Amino acid sequence: MRKIQIYLLVIVILALILSFVFTDSEKKQSELKSTSKIALREVGNQLLLNNDDETSLVMPVKEVDNHLYQLSFESQLSIVPDSLITTIKERLNAYAINNDYRVEVFQCNDNEVAYSYQIVNDSEDTIVACLDRELPRSCYTIQLQLLDEQQSLSRGQLLVLCLIVGLLLFVIEFIVYRRTVVSASVANNLDYERLGSFRFYPDQNKLVKEAEEISLSKKECELLSIFIMRPNEIIKRDELTKRVWEDNGVIVGRSLDTYISKLRKKLKDDTNIKFTNVHGVGYKLEVKTV
């Protein structure tokens, strides 16, 4: 039951951590959207200035898909690829948007791609071509796609979650292990009967004297348990045989004497303990108080 409670506690902790992680992620996503739109709008302004246009408007930047932003203009303009690449790079760096990205320039009249390129940091996947081919004055829309942003965040969240789960499982197992060790230690120290210099563990079928363990048979344990409950008292043979043998459907002859003899040998190292045979009556376990 205690282990179940620990696991339930872990589930609650994980739920709280995940809530924090995803809330933080959503906040970062929202900030990224805002800064991406601002950066792209500044790109539009610069492109118009490059066309000596200081009056026409840059239309509102739209997020047309996940991390895909669209920039459009009120009037026509010409676009120099080299200038477009430099301007977008500068504005993204200014807002610490260091993701890989793809840029596509669409013609308004047929929605065909007039120019495109891709930037992937430290990778051969970067594709930039036709830098000197100026796009003639016309109506264009520019789309900026931030690559692998969502996947990157998901991997980061997964890594954090795995680390947290691993740590919590380690803590759980350590706690359970410690509790098991402590419980076993307590059991080994408390679940016994003191008999002179011996410790008698009836559930474990053994006697312990200092560091020495002495194994007992089941019948020896049953007999010794009866005597320990009634030290220095004569217990009749009939009672002993009935409780240890006949109640279990076994009829014995000299078995009682044999097992008493075995117990005597195992307890012989303590002279304060002695089995006495009361002839014709039974046995008595004499225990001297030291």
Side-chain angles (χ1 to χ4, degrees), residues 219-268:
K219 297 299 182 187
E220 288 172 339
C221 279
E222 292 176 0
L223 278 172
L224 192 56
S225 295
I226 296 171
F227 283 109
I228 285 178
M229 294 298 294
R230 295 156 66 180
N232 301 309
E233 177 183 334
I234 298 172
I235 302 176
K236 295 181 179 181
R237 295 178 63 90
D238 291 344
E239 180 182 349
L240 292 170
T241 55
K242 178 176 175 57
R243 291 178 60 180
V244 178
W245 281 278
E246 292 181 9
D247 281 353
N248 295 318
V250 180
I251 306 298
V252 296
R254 304 295 298 175
S255 294
L256 174 60
D257 300 317
T258 300
Y259 278 95
I260 293 294
S261 177
K262 291 180 179 181
L263 286 174
R264 279 197 181 108
K265 291 178 181 179
K266 293 180 178 181
L267 295 169
K268 63 182 176 59

Side-chain angles (χ1 to χ4, degrees), residues 9 12 39 55 86 100-101 115 123 125 129-130 132 137 147 165 169 180-182 204 207 213 262 264:
L9 178 61
V12 172
T55 58
T86 301
D100 304 332
Y101 57 92
Y115 181 74
S123 171
D125 293 332
C130 305
D132 298 327
R137 179 174 292 273
L147 303 176
V165 170
L169 288 177
T180 302
V181 170
V182 171
Q204 301 178 46
L207 284 166
E213 288 192 5
K262 291 180 179 181
R264 279 197 181 108

Side-chain angles (χ1 to χ4, degrees), residues 8 12 21 41 86 94 106 110-111 115 152 177 199 211 229 239 244 262-263:
L8 288 175
V12 172
V21 169
R41 186 171 185 81
T86 301
F106 292 88
D110 56 11
N111 207 36
Y115 181 74
S152 176
Y177 170 76
R199 296 195 303 274
M229 294 298 294
E239 180 182 349
V244 178
K262 291 180 179 181
L263 286 174

Side-chain angles (χ1 to χ4, degrees), residues 48-91:
L48 289 176
L49 292 177
N50 292 344
N51 281 263
D52 297 323
D53 184 347
E54 298 181 356
T55 58
S56 62
L57 299 177
V58 176
M59 306 306 292
V61 177
K62 299 178 182 179
E63 183 180 17
V64 296
D65 201 352
N66 193 30
H67 301 294
L68 175 62
Y69 304 93
Q70 179 176 286
L71 171 66
S72 57
F73 304 89
E74 180 186 30
S75 60
Q76 296 183 347
L77 75 165
S78 63
I79 297 176
V80 179
D82 185 44
S83 176
L84 175 67
I85 293 170
T86 301
T87 303
I88 290 180
K89 182 178 180 180
E90 288 177 351
R91 298 327 303 156

Side-chain angles (χ1 to χ4, degrees), residues 47 69-71 73 79 84 103-105 140-144:
L47 292 178
Y69 304 93
Q70 179 176 286
L71 171 66
F73 304 89
I79 297 176
L84 175 67
V103 175
E104 294 179 298
V105 181
Y140 297 105
T141 60
I142 299 173
Q143 288 191 355
L144 170 68

